[in-house]
Amino acid sequence: MHSHDNIDWDAHLHRLREADELTAPETAELVAALLRPNDRTVLEIGSGAGGTAAAFAAALAGSGGDVIVVDTAPELLSAASAHAGAVADRVAVHPVRADAASDELVEAVVRSGAPAQADLVFAAFVVHHLPDQLAGLRRLAELVRPGGRLAIVEFGLQTKVLPDDVGPGGPGLEGRLIAAREQWFRQMRGEMTGSARLPVGWGRALAAAGLTDVRSWSYLVDRPAPLGEIGRSAVLRRLHLLRRHAEEFLDPADLDALDQLLDETGEHYVGDRDDVFYLTANTVHVGAKETRGSSA
């Protein structure tokens, strides 16, 4: 199934499962930092393969509670709800098939029988895909109960996986690949129906969506060389992603160099190198929904 951004997320299930495994320690720390002692209901937008939903379910195992997983892709939704549902008997998992870009999101949650609002609404690497990101944040804020919070995770620093000079092509290849992907991303957003610019930072956007006490912090995912199997798979996924997204924007010499890195039979194949790594920084932005004028 293709969502508003024309990406077939079902096809990415294996990739998302490996990504969950790679970042499991950081995800557990993030969940611990976000959940408050009295939180009992978590709603995750864009649940992927379910790694984060499972971490939330594990954190709620002692107290019990509800985890609502929302995604457009049925295979991802099924995988995420099964993963989270296997973690804790006292945590009810509610799958909701809905698109965060649709005005019917709130209604879809209500129709599912899940709690209509949550103590914590969480969306990682979702909002930047929405055509109108501010409207999307306002939509997500409707799902937050008074006194609850909305937390989004977005990219802090670009992911790096390669030494500056990899041999094929000229030095600085990765920087040019990243620049080409940014061109692709701008073009992709421009082609979305209803696309709107968001000319402010995420913190100001959360405030514009009606949230208060907005704060942000960042965390690293740092896997230095030499990498194990999961790390090498992450590097290969990253380079294949850059290859798909950047092809039409790359100089032919850089495209040839990247193809040499991805050639399993070649001398420069990334999967056989011991000098690649995985390093990225993600930023968390959290805002609260006021209780004034509403019942908690």
Side-chain angles (χ1 to χ4, degrees):
M1 176 184 176
H2 291 265
S3 57
H4 57 269
D5 49 14
N6 202 35
I7 295 174
D8 185 357
W9 289 110
D10 280 348
H12 292 290
L13 179 56
H14 179 70
R15 174 182 65 84
L16 292 170
R17 281 176 170 153
E18 285 199 338
D20 283 345
E21 186 174 352
L22 177 73
T23 61
E26 289 80 9
T27 298
E29 291 179 4
L30 175 59
V31 164
L34 287 173
L35 278 182
R36 299 176 298 186
N38 293 327
D39 286 346
R40 296 293 180 270
T41 307
V42 176
L43 188 153
E44 183 184 9
I45 301 289
S47 52
T52 304
F56 278 121
L60 292 171
S63 62
D66 296 271
V67 173
I68 305 138
V69 289
V70 179
D71 212 300
T72 58
E75 186 175 355
L76 295 185
L77 189 62
S78 176
S81 58
H83 190 183
V87 170
D89 292 339
R90 298 181 63 192
V91 177
V93 178
H94 309 268
V96 179
R97 188 179 177 190
D99 192 337
S102 171
D103 288 333
E104 297 179 359
L105 171 65
V106 176
E107 182 183 344
V109 172
V110 172
R111 283 200 312 266
S112 75
Q117 292 184 314
D119 297 310
L120 176 67
V121 174
F122 178 81
F125 311 113
V126 169
V127 180
H128 71 265
H129 282 286
L130 302 181
D132 188 332
Q133 295 160 104
L134 182 55
L137 288 173
R138 288 173 172 150
R139 199 175 293 118
L140 298 187
E142 291 184 52
L143 295 167
V144 181
R145 71 162 182 81
R149 292 156 305 132
L150 169 62
I152 66 171
V153 181
E154 290 293 343
F155 299 107
L157 298 175
Q158 290 282 359
T159 301
K160 294 292 190 71
V161 300
L162 298 176
D164 182 64
D165 192 342
V166 293
L173 173 64
E174 189 169 24
R176 296 190 294 277
L177 296 177
I178 290 170
R181 185 181 188 278
E182 289 178 340
Q183 286 183 269
W184 167 85
F185 183 76
R186 287 193 293 272
Q187 177 176 290
M188 182 270 291
R189 282 202 55 81
E191 293 172 351
M192 284 184 186
T193 302
S195 179
R197 292 176 59 187
L198 182 69
V200 297
W202 290 114
R204 285 186 61 186
L206 285 172
L211 301 169
T212 63
D213 299 324
V214 177
R215 62 191 182 95
S216 303
W217 74 89
S218 298
Y219 64 93
L220 286 178
V221 178
D222 182 13
R223 304 292 184 270
L227 293 171
E229 181 179 353
I230 293 298
R232 287 196 303 273
S233 292
V235 170
L236 286 166
R237 288 196 307 273
R238 171 67 175 170
L239 293 180
H240 278 292
L241 177 75
L242 292 173
R243 177 68 169 79
R244 290 195 304 275
H245 291 171
E247 179 173 358
E248 65 181 291
F249 304 103
L250 274 179
D251 182 276
D254 285 337
L255 190 60
D256 177 70
L258 179 55
D259 284 341
Q260 290 186 58
L261 294 176
L262 294 173
D263 181 3
E264 297 182 20
T265 65
E267 63 176 310
H268 299 291
Y269 177 53
V270 160
D272 294 333
R273 297 181 65 138
D274 63 2
D275 60 349
V276 295
F277 54 91
Y278 191 93
L279 177 64
T280 194
N282 302 321
T283 304
V284 188
H285 310 273
V286 184
K289 190 169 187 177
E290 290 187 330
T291 59
R292 186 173 62 251
S294 302
S295 58

